[in-house]
Amino acid sequence: ENADASLCVLDVMELVQQGRVIVPERVEKLLSDTSFVLLNKTDLSRSEDVSLAVEALQARHAVWPISLASGNGLEDFLTDFGRVLSDK
């Protein structure tokens, strides 16, 4: 609750439903202004859904779209997140 930073991993395929971004209430309760969001499974998601999720979440959180399966976006996430943590 009073952490300097937290990391939330969300599945884009579950997050975007019928063209809308719906963060489950149980997850929303855990997010704060110091939360960082990793959007996973971008390799299995439509690019429009990934863009929609990034847009919806980036106003309040740092967001990284990635695919853990393919590694796409992972290097950027590790570099950026490491930099953010070292600045804390």
Side-chain angles (χ1 to χ4, degrees):
E1 190 171 300
N2 294 322
D4 289 337
S6 64
L7 178 63
C8 180
V9 181
L10 297 172
D11 179 338
V12 175
M13 295 173 59
E14 292 180 12
L15 190 63
V16 179
Q17 300 172 15
Q18 298 176 344
R20 293 183 32 209
V21 176
I22 301 172
V23 179
E25 187 177 330
R26 68 185 188 286
V27 173
E28 189 67 47
K29 288 179 182 180
L30 298 173
L31 294 174
S32 71
D33 292 340
T34 60
S35 296
F36 299 89
V37 177
L38 194 60
L39 294 174
N40 192 24
K41 297 193 179 176
T42 57
D43 57 320
L44 302 175
S45 304
R46 297 178 333 146
S47 60
E48 298 87 2
D49 290 346
V50 174
S51 296
L52 189 62
V54 169
E55 271 185 47
L57 295 168
Q58 72 181 357
R60 189 170 169 214
H61 311 287
V63 178
W64 291 274
I66 69 154
S67 166
L68 287 175
S70 71
N72 189 27
L74 188 57
E75 189 173 323
D76 289 340
F77 162 70
L78 293 173
T79 300
D80 293 346
F81 193 60
R83 187 176 307 120
V84 167
L85 292 179
S86 67
D87 291 345
K88 290 271 179 200

